[in-house]
């Protein structure tokens, strides 16, 4: 009944070799999922009417019900959670007006709408627990206008942050938010993402000037004009950032840009324990040294870099910090000196510097693609649970040490890495979800890490969002009164709960 070869080919066309290795496995696993899905969503009478109506008004190709397409928009190998449900159709709009038509039709037939950009989110953020229409912005991938003198750019949701930076590099400007390599601006707004540069430049919330949004009833709003600051009324821009597609569909985004630094230097340094590394990171922050990025990878993760062959060097398989320094030549030299002195007091090894721009790039991509490298090395049939928390900086050494001990005691292929300068770290665990004992142990380990972060006045997610899996933790973190305010906002903008239902909060019964 289902065909998979195209899916395999599409994924194999990805530029990353790590992704390629992961992808061929994804096909096998996706095949299993297909086989095990006895109750795939049947296209209901109302959905069929909506699909026919949309095809008639926007063209036959705008709506796909192809099985592979449904799988790609409801399942993700990278996601901590996958469910036995897929969207019933995928819409491919070409413009804000077409998105509005899609929303009006979905509203008329009461069909859930799930925005989809790069599909790299990790907490089942774009899954379709209620079926519905996935809205994929593949054809809305244009840079609409670059205002170099104003240091901003207007883009459509399917522009990737990496291609944006490539396209605009001659302007001397760049966009500094750097989540997963395949993420696109629409989804980055959706999850309020960040990345390795956040310690210096902040998160998505700091870089969006305005949004054009299609609401659940199809109406189109713009949240602000184009100045870099404004105190005009409620901050609707930030309301939509991090709302995971539950409040509206973002179709245009004006982003701030910043100047490409004169000089960049990348260094790697080991520590005897993960606690030493975390403590050094807190000190660097407290000393006010403006590092451009400060990342941690544990011994397991460094082993992954070696085995995956992501770089030409063989690294010591010890807790390791990756530093990026940027600014003027003199500023970079000064900051390197200061960081080295702090690291030494925490028993660091010697700093190793990337010799040229290419090596800097390779090193940083080894860090950024670590999840894919891990996936490429897992046991056949294993799933990944990759999740994040964040705590106030001073609590980082405590939480990271306990979490690492617990992770090691699982006896599984599991690692800690993260954006340590923001008090934000990730656990990635490979496990067999079909083994109830193994699954229960992993669930407990993750839950304990999240609870521990909350006890330390931290958050259940620093950057991946709530999605399907962290709704209980959100309630624990903020309490019912606060979550009820979120529900009121949701109800006001989307009274029928059609926008990405079941994410962040449960649908009221
Ligand atoms: C290897 C790897 C590394 C990663 N590293 C990081 C990291 O360092 N930091 C980090 O923050 N994340 C990281 N991630 C997670 C991921 O890249 C981010 O969550 C990213 O923001 C998702 O963007 P996307 O385009 O893939 O969004 P998608 O997965 O397509 O969607 C994410 C959410 O946004 C909603 N959405 C999508 N498009 C729109 C739209 N146009 N309007 C409204 N809502 C929309 C979706 O419904 C969904 O809820 C990583 C992922 C991978 C695979």
């Amino acid at each position: 009944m289902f065909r998979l070869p195209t899916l395999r080919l599409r994924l194999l066309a990805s530029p990353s070799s790590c992704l390629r290795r992961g992808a061929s496995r994804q096909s096998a696993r996706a095949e299993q999922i297909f086989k095990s899905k006895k109750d795939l969503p049947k296209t209901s009478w109302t959905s069929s009417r909506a699909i026919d109506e949309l095809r008639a008004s926007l063209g036959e190709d705008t709506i796909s019900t192809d099985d592979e397409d449904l799988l790609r928009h409801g399942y993700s190998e990278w996601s901590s959670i996958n469910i036995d449900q897929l969207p019933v159709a995928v819409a491919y709009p070409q413009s804000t007006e077409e998105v509005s038509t899609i929303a009006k039709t979905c509203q008329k037939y009461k069909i859930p709408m799930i925005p989809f950009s790069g599909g790299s989110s990790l907490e089942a953020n774009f899954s379709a627990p209620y079926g519905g229409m996935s809205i994929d912005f593949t054809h809305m991938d244009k840079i609409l206008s670059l205002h170099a003198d104003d240091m901003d750019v207007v883009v459509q949701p399917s522009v990737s942050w990496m291609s944006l930076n490539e396209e605009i590099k001659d302007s001397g400007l760049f966009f500094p938010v750097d989540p997963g390599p395949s993420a696109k601006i629409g989804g980055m707004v959706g999850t309020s993402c960040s990345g390795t540069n956040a310690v210096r430049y902040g998160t998505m919330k700091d870089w969006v000037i305005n949004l054009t949004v299609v609401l659940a009833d199809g109406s189109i709003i713009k949240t602000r004009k184009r100045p870099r600051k404004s105190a005009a009324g409620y901050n609707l821009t930030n309301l939509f950032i991090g709302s995971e597609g539950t409040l509206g569909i973002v179709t245009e985004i004006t982003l701030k840009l910043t100047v490409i630094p004169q000089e960049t230097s990348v260094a790697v340094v080991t520590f005897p324990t993960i606690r030493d590394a975390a403590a050094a990171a807190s000190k660097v922050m407290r000393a006010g040294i403006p590092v451009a990025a400060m990342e941690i990878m544990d011994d397991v993760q460094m082993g992954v870099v070696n085995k995956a062959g992501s770089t030409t060097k063989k690294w010591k398989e010890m807790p390791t910090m990756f530093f990026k320094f940027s600014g003027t030549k003199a500023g970079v030299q000064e900051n390197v000196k200061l960081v080295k002195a702090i690291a030494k007091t925490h028993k660091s090894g010697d700093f190793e510097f990337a010799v040229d721009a290419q090596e800097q790039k390779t090193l940083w991509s080894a860090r950024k693609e670590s999840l894919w490298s891990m996936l490429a090395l897992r046991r056949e049939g294993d799933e990944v649970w990759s999740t994040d928390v964040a705590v106030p900086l001073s609590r980082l050494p405590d939480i990271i040490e306990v979490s690492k001990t617990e992770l090691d005691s699982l006896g599984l292929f599991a690692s800690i890495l993260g954006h340590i300068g923001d008090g934000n770290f990730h656990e990635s665990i490979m496990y067999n979800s079909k083994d109830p004992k193994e699954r229960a142990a992993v669930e407990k380990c993750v839950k304990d890490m999240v609870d521990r972060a909350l006890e330390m006045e931290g958050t259940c997610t620093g950057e991946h969002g709530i999605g399907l899996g962290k709704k209980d933790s959100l309630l624990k973190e903020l309490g019912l009164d606060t979550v009820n305010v979120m529900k009121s906002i949701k109800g006001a903008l989307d009274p029928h709960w059609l926008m990405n239902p079941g994410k962040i909060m449960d649908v009221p019964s």
Side-chain angles (χ1 to χ4, degrees):
M1 173 161 60
F2 298 105
R3 291 164 286 118
L4 280 162
T6 328
L7 172 72
R8 185 172 293 125
L9 284 176
R10 189 178 302 138
L11 288 164
L12 283 169
S14 159
S16 155
S17 62
C18 298
L19 178 58
R20 276 203 293 276
R21 265 170 284 169
S24 58
R25 282 182 191 241
Q26 167 146 340
S27 302
R29 283 151 44 77
E31 213 148 359
Q32 276 169 16
I33 286 204
F34 264 157
K35 280 187 190 138
S36 70
K37 277 184 193 299
K38 297 195 176 50
D39 294 318
L40 276 165
K42 308 274 182 294
T43 313
S44 67
W45 180 81
T46 45
S47 312
S48 299
R49 290 285 298 268
I51 291 167
D52 289 348
E53 221 170 279
L54 285 170
R55 281 181 172 153
S57 61
L58 302 178
E60 199 61 27
D61 292 346
T62 306
I63 308 294
S64 164
T65 51
D66 179 271
D67 297 326
E68 296 153 18
D69 245 0
L70 302 185
L71 180 74
R72 198 167 64 86
H73 291 82
Y75 166 84
S76 164
E77 174 175 48
W78 307 324
S79 179
S80 303
I81 298 176
N82 275 296
I83 52 171
D84 278 345
Q85 181 77 47
L86 298 176
V88 295
V90 182
Y92 290 98
Q94 312 244 7
S95 65
T96 298
E97 288 66 34
E98 288 197 0
V99 174
S100 167
T101 304
I102 292 164
K104 281 180 185 153
T105 308
C106 286
Q107 176 86 1
K108 178 171 158 193
Y109 292 102
K110 303 289 172 286
I111 295 168
M113 296 167 253
I114 308 137
F116 180 100
S117 288
S120 72
S121 51
L122 300 172
E123 297 288 352
N125 314 70
F126 64 81
S127 62
Y130 295 89
M133 180 90 64
S134 176
I135 303 173
D136 183 324
F137 304 95
T138 295
H139 303 309
M140 295 177 66
D141 60 349
K142 315 274 176 312
I143 297 177
L144 298 175
S145 43
L146 170 65
H147 307 115
D149 290 342
D150 297 333
M151 296 170 73
D152 70 50
V153 65
V154 185
V155 300
Q156 291 186 312
S158 211
V159 169
S160 87
W161 65 271
M162 290 188 77
S163 64
L164 172 64
N165 282 333
E166 193 52 38
E167 294 269 328
I168 65 172
K169 65 175 188 240
D170 290 344
S171 67
L173 298 169
F174 83 115
F175 173 66
V177 186
D178 62 331
S182 51
K184 297 178 175 177
I185 304 295
M188 291 164 64
V189 170
T191 59
S192 186
C193 71
S194 44
T196 63
N197 292 331
V199 66
R200 168 74 170 268
Y201 293 100
T203 70
M204 200 63 189
K205 283 204 164 75
D206 304 306
W207 291 89
V208 179
I209 293 177
N210 68 43
L211 297 170
T212 300
V213 184
V214 174
L215 299 178
D217 64 0
S219 52
I220 302 168
I221 62 161
K222 187 153 183 170
T223 56
R224 281 205 193 294
K225 297 272 189 193
R226 206 167 49 83
R228 281 172 88 85
K229 66 191 259 192
S230 164
Y234 292 166
N235 189 345
L236 293 184
T237 310
N238 275 14
L239 181 63
F240 289 103
I241 302 173
S243 66
E244 301 185 25
T246 61
L247 298 180
I249 309 163
V250 173
T251 59
E252 256 180 53
I253 308 104
T254 305
L255 298 168
K256 288 182 201 169
L257 300 172
T258 190
V259 176
I260 298 173
Q262 231 179 60
E263 180 84 10
T264 301
S265 171
V266 169
V268 175
V269 60
T270 59
F271 290 85
T273 67
I274 198 134
R275 187 182 183 89
D276 290 315
S282 299
K283 278 265 180 63
V284 169
M285 294 306 291
R286 189 69 183 81
I289 305 165
V291 285
M294 185 162 59
E295 297 286 305
I296 194 164
M297 284 166 69
D298 69 2
D299 50 326
V300 176
Q301 203 51 245
M302 292 312 291
V304 170
V305 174
N306 281 340
K307 285 196 192 78
S310 328
T311 63
T312 45
K313 265 192 194 133
K314 266 272 180 248
W315 299 97
K316 286 185 194 144
E317 296 181 12
M318 292 174 73
T320 300
M321 275 168 68
F322 285 56
F323 284 96
K324 203 190 269 179
F325 302 93
S326 66
T328 60
K329 212 176 176 93
V332 166
Q333 279 170 1
E334 175 67 11
N335 292 336
V336 168
K337 211 168 90 194
L338 293 169
V339 168
K340 270 182 166 175
I342 290 177
K344 269 281 166 258
T345 64
H346 290 277
K347 307 177 214 140
S348 77
D350 291 333
F351 276 65
E352 286 187 67
F353 288 87
V355 291
D356 55 23
Q358 186 49 46
E359 194 168 270
Q360 284 183 11
K361 222 170 162 177
T362 315
L363 264 181
W364 219 254
S365 65
R367 160 62 192 92
K368 293 232 47 97
E369 294 181 8
S370 53
L371 180 60
W372 290 337
S373 307
M374 234 178 134
L375 279 170
L377 298 175
R378 76 198 143 154
R379 298 177 302 195
E380 192 63 46
D382 267 4
E383 308 260 342
V384 63
W385 197 313
S386 174
T387 197
D388 81 308
V389 295
V391 293
L393 281 180
S394 64
R395 303 307 309 270
L396 197 64
D398 300 329
I399 190 167
I400 225 166
E401 182 175 50
V402 185
S403 303
K404 174 71 178 158
T405 308
E406 284 190 1
L407 212 54
D408 288 348
S409 71
L410 283 175
L412 294 170
F413 183 27
S415 76
I416 279 188
L417 69 163
H419 314 304
I420 197 166
D422 297 317
N424 180 203
F425 72 96
H426 306 226
E427 280 187 358
S428 297
I429 311 170
M430 302 294 156
Y431 72 107
N432 177 0
S433 63
K434 291 186 192 70
D435 178 339
K437 233 172 114 191
E438 205 165 296
R439 188 182 179 96
V442 171
E443 276 174 5
K444 182 174 180 320
C445 182
V446 170
K447 184 176 171 298
D448 287 351
M449 173 184 74
V450 172
D451 286 348
R452 203 172 294 125
L454 298 185
E455 278 159 26
M456 294 179 176
E457 296 182 79
T459 175
C460 64
T461 172
E463 57 181 25
H464 293 166
I466 300 298
L468 266 186
K470 284 189 168 172
K471 291 186 275 190
D472 289 347
S473 304
L474 177 72
L475 208 55
K476 229 185 240 181
E477 179 174 333
L478 300 177
L480 190 58
D481 289 346
T482 305
V483 173
N484 278 343
V485 173
M486 293 187 191
K487 279 192 176 154
S488 307
I489 294 170
K490 165 83 176 158
L493 289 177
D494 178 19
H496 302 290
W497 285 64
L498 296 175
M499 295 298 323
N500 205 1
K503 310 299 163 52
I504 304 181
M505 294 160 281
D506 286 330
V507 175
S509 42

